[in-house]
Amino acid sequence: QVQLVESGGGLVQPGGSLRLSCAASGSIFSINFMGWYRQAPGKERESVAVITSGGQTNYADSVKGRFTISRDNAKNTVYLQMNSLKPEDTAVYYCNIKTRFEGVEYWGQGTQVTVSS
């Protein structure tokens, strides 16, 4: 059984930093994309950052220059370094893994990030 365990969320002041981690356990074959999504209250879930198996990255415009996504393929782990956090970054953050098999993907349980003074 595949399980994604996220950690690193919490409460931080505006301008602060957090680092999210998502470790996958169980048998996952042919991991392709790894990414982070977020959902704020009353809003739809949106893509924040994605990284391919080859290390190519893509970011939402709202986080470019502030967030950095990385992955450790040997550990099946994806990270999100978040700097210069703003109150509008407040949301539940979910990690996502997409395999090369169509329709096969996994989600983490979500971790709360709150940016407030």
Side-chain angles (χ1 to χ4, degrees):
Q1 182 176 355
V2 174
Q3 193 172 17
L4 274 57
V5 179
E6 299 153 349
S7 60
L11 173 65
V12 64
Q13 292 186 342
S17 297
L18 284 175
R19 186 181 191 229
L20 305 183
S21 299
C22 173
S25 61
S27 299
I28 303 181
F29 300 100
S30 298
I31 293 177
N32 194 1
F33 299 99
M34 303 180 82
W36 289 92
Y37 291 71
R38 67 186 180 187
Q39 187 166 18
K43 295 187 177 182
E44 293 187 355
R45 190 174 297 188
E46 62 175 356
S47 175
V48 175
V50 177
I51 184 167
T52 70
S53 57
Q56 293 178 310
T57 58
N58 190 56
Y59 297 93
D61 288 343
S62 59
V63 307
K64 281 180 181 177
R66 300 187 297 121
F67 290 10
T68 302
I69 188 171
S70 60
R71 63 191 279 176
D72 185 332
N73 291 330
K75 296 181 179 179
N76 285 345
T77 299
V78 61
Y79 306 95
L80 186 68
Q81 177 67 43
M82 304 185 294
N83 299 328
S84 302
L85 282 161
K86 304 176 181 180
E88 50 264 43
D89 294 318
T90 295
V92 178
Y93 284 71
Y94 299 89
C95 68
N96 172 265
I97 291 179
K98 290 181 173 58
T99 72
R100 298 183 188 277
F101 302 104
E102 185 175 351
V104 179
E105 64 177 335
Y106 306 95
W107 289 92
Q109 80 285 358
T111 184
Q112 177 70 47
V113 171
T114 302
V115 184
S116 175
S117 55

